Amino acid sequence: MKKSSLIYLAVGIILAGFVLYMVRAEKKIERTEFLMDTIVNSVIYTRNRRQGVNALSSAFGEMYRLEIILDRHHTDSEVFVLNRDAGTRPIVVSAEALDVIKKSLQVGEQTGGAFDITIAPLINLWRFGSADVYVPSENELAQTVKLVDFRRVQVNNNDGTVFLDGGGTELDLGGIAKGYIVDMAIEALLEQGITSAYLDAGGDIRVIGEKPDGSAWRIGVRHPRDRRGIIAIVELRDKAIVTSGDYERFFVVDDVRYHHIIDPKTGEPSRGIISVTVIAPDAFTADAYSTALFVLGLEKGMEIIESLPELEAIMITEDEQVHITSGLAGKVEIRQ
Ligand code: AMP
Ligand code: MG
């Protein structure tokens, strides 16, 4: 064979190898959209671009669909109707709404009422979500606290109905809706055969598998007092991680910070903790417990979370000290 033919052959083999590599290589597909009042970012790795794009479309489709069902401010939502007709009649709701309400009531029981989806009257009183700030009087707080009790929510599994027992009872699923919706989107990705993905809905994160190079997904936990800083890094595979912080929605009056995570017993923003991150098998559980632990405080919060083997937590107290559960020892990188 001539020398030039040999060179052509070698180049041909290298090119073919390259083409084969490109076809078989994992492609990174990303999609970012604004929904659920936050930035939702997703990354998936797949060899089949079309499969990836389709999977992301169905995941985002699920998120748009569920957002409308669970948002109490949306006049087409089931929660809006439940709240409007509180105390008058049971309402037939979708399987998803029934599911999320039942799961929320369970966490309410497990946390002694620290997590309570009937928190809406208090959120309304403090006017969170509106532009004008308001600090309620003791009397207003005392009156409104009486309306908050998750035991007023009656679920009838046979009829598929929910009844809010008592006028003035109102649901606010803000403490768990994002987590639940992230789970449903992840289910959609799994159904489409995706084996490597990252989904972040404004801090409610869940991952599938690991990255194509075999490394875990590295997730940064935001520093609660430094907008751009990271206080901890956790490596995760097939898990969810959710953070609740007093910096997400708050206002300051006379040097006092009033934030959106309310202690149902006092009616006031819960004090002592400034950030809680929970790692769980699913985003619903991580979301519910991050809100609950915020209210429970360091001691009770740690006690509950240590009793649940599948859950881990990072709690940051007012003095900016980082506290972790025993299961995270040696597994989390703290940057202080
Ligand atoms: P998260 O950021 O997940 O902790 O959720 C905070 C949101 O949950 C608030 O904006 C309220 O809509 C709602 N919320 C506040 N306090 C509670 C509570 N004690 N139990 C359940 N939901 C709450
Ligand atoms: Mg939450």
Side-chain angles (χ1 to χ4, degrees), residues 203 220-226 229-232 241-248 257 259-261 270-278 286-287 289-298 301-302 312-325 334 336:
V221 176
R222 212 172 105 181
H223 193 299
R225 293 291 177 264
D226 171 6
I230 297 285
I231 200 160
I241 180 166
V242 176
T243 298
S244 285
D246 71 351
Y247 50 84
E248 286 167 28
R257 178 190 287 250
H259 63 83
H260 67 144
I261 303 170
S270 188
R271 302 279 173 218
I273 299 289
I274 57 177
S275 167
V276 178
T277 300
V278 172
D287 200 353
Y289 275 92
S290 66
T291 307
L293 257 56
F294 202 106
V295 172
L296 286 165
L298 184 63
M302 279 293 180
E312 303 295 344
I314 302 169
M315 297 180 80
I316 305 174
T317 37
E318 266 170 337
D319 54 6
E320 295 185 27
Q321 288 302 306
V322 181
H323 307 261
I324 60 170
T325 44
I334 311 279
Q336 262 186 320

